[in-house]
Amino acid sequence: MRALAADHAPGLRVRLAAHGLDGVTLLVVPAALFVLGLFIYPFAYGFWLSFNPKAGGVLANYGRFFSDAYLYGTIATTLWLALPVTLLNLALAVPIAFRVRLMRRQRLLTTILVIPITLGTVLVAEGLLNYLGPQGWFNRTLLWLGLVSSPVRLINNYWGVFLSLLITGFPFTFLLTLSYLTGIDPALENAAATLGAKPAQRFRHIFLPLLLPGLAITFCLSFVQAFSVFPSAVLVGAPAGPTRVISIAAYQAAFEEYDYSMASAVAIVMGLVQLGIVAAVLGARGLLYRGPAGGGKG
């Protein structure tokens, strides 16, 4: 009787399915635990820590941040770097992606264009120091040609960080743009060309409306990447002056002042600024794009 009952007892899979859990759902559990352990818990702990200052009331850290121009000014400094870099990368990625998609050796060209992303921010910054420095190849060439009388200063200032972010951010922006562009059905462009639409008209009436949702997502991801700048702001910038970005303020609070509560508050402000920009862009995307998801993947 016991053997017969065991034969008819529901298996583990059946019991899990009865509770709404199947094999696919269980595969998500490790990923959920990973996200919980490495992202959600640290964020929640940092958020709580930001409201527990060393001295003062609950909002003392935030009051200190927004009352000190040396601290809250880092928001404008970071935006002044991240927004132009993101817009320029997007402006460069679109025409280059249009050209690359029509080339025969697309894979080879794409590989060449994304090489900088494999080097890392630190290595690119070190390369810029050697190439754009006062004794670098760039300035030596200008002096040799007689175009300048003294070396052009392109490092340890705003432009050094700008160029570093541009080089490291472009491959990421380009790959996303190319993926959205290649997702558009070529038959749409061919039909428009058959009807007599010129390249500019095809771009305006076919590609642009279908690309806008994807470009909005690309802008958001590229902006977040640029806004979190840190190594290049230190290596090829002026971390005590024009390129004192908000991540440097958080670093100094944590590892120079050993005030982790204040550092957490700076990090929360940093996250809120990023979320504000992303929400604004996605909100504008929702207003501009009302049709079905055409050529994009987002």
Side-chain angles (χ1 to χ4, degrees):
M1 293 295 292
R2 290 182 180 179
L4 184 61
D7 292 338
H8 290 281
L12 177 61
R13 181 179 299 179
V14 176
R15 293 197 300 270
L16 290 175
H19 292 83
L21 298 174
D22 55 14
V24 177
T25 304
L26 292 177
L27 290 176
V28 180
V29 173
L33 293 176
F34 179 82
V35 172
L36 179 64
L38 292 185
F39 295 98
I40 297 178
Y41 170 73
F43 172 80
Y45 178 72
F47 184 77
W48 172 83
L49 193 62
S50 69
F51 292 101
N52 289 271
K54 287 185 175 181
V58 175
L59 298 176
N61 286 330
Y62 295 95
R64 174 189 168 190
F65 181 89
F66 288 105
S67 63
D68 187 348
Y70 193 58
L71 287 174
Y72 72 74
T74 57
I75 297 177
T77 300
T78 314
L79 288 173
W80 183 238
L81 276 167
L83 286 174
V85 165
T86 304
L87 290 172
L88 183 56
N89 268 331
L90 205 58
L92 293 173
V94 172
I96 293 176
F98 265 92
R99 186 71 183 105
V100 168
R101 76 186 179 101
L102 299 176
M103 292 183 173
R104 296 178 60 184
R105 301 184 180 275
Q106 182 183 131
R107 292 183 179 179
L108 176 60
L109 291 170
T110 302
T111 302
I112 294 174
L113 288 172
V114 302
I115 284 178
I117 206 173
T118 66
L119 301 178
T121 306
V122 175
L123 190 57
V124 170
E126 290 290 342
L128 288 177
L129 286 173
N130 293 322
Y131 183 75
L132 298 178
Q135 300 299 321
W137 297 348
F138 181 75
N139 273 307
R140 287 186 179 183
T141 302
L142 293 180
L143 291 170
W144 180 72
L145 293 174
L147 298 177
V148 296
S149 57
S150 60
V152 180
R153 188 183 177 191
L154 292 173
I155 58 172
N156 300 125
N157 55 14
Y158 173 88
W159 294 110
V161 184
F162 185 93
L163 291 172
S164 177
L165 290 177
L166 192 69
I167 293 171
T168 56
F170 173 78
F172 182 73
T173 307
F174 167 75
L175 286 176
L176 287 174
T177 304
L178 184 64
S179 68
Y180 287 111
L181 182 59
T182 54
I184 297 177
D185 190 351
L188 297 174
E189 182 185 12
N190 295 334
T194 302
L195 294 174
K198 297 180 180 180
Q201 294 174 318
R202 297 199 295 269
F203 174 80
R204 180 181 176 183
H205 297 290
I206 296 178
F207 287 108
L208 188 58
L210 295 175
L211 278 176
L212 276 178
L215 292 180
I217 297 297
T218 302
F219 176 91
C220 292
L221 295 176
S222 300
F223 168 77
V224 170
Q225 183 184 41
F227 193 85
S228 60
V229 54
F230 180 78
S232 58
V234 175
L235 294 173
V236 292
T243 64
R244 187 174 184 269
V245 292
I246 192 170
S247 59
I248 292 179
Y251 173 85
Q252 290 176 335
F255 300 106
E256 293 182 10
E257 302 174 9
Y258 297 102
D259 189 347
Y260 296 105
S261 178
M262 183 62 196
S264 297
V266 176
I268 294 298
V269 172
M270 182 179 178
L272 290 176
V273 173
Q274 294 180 77
L275 287 175
I277 298 294
V278 169
V281 173
L282 294 182
R285 171 204 180 194
L287 293 175
L288 293 173
Y289 187 75
R290 297 292 185 181
K297 299 178 182 179

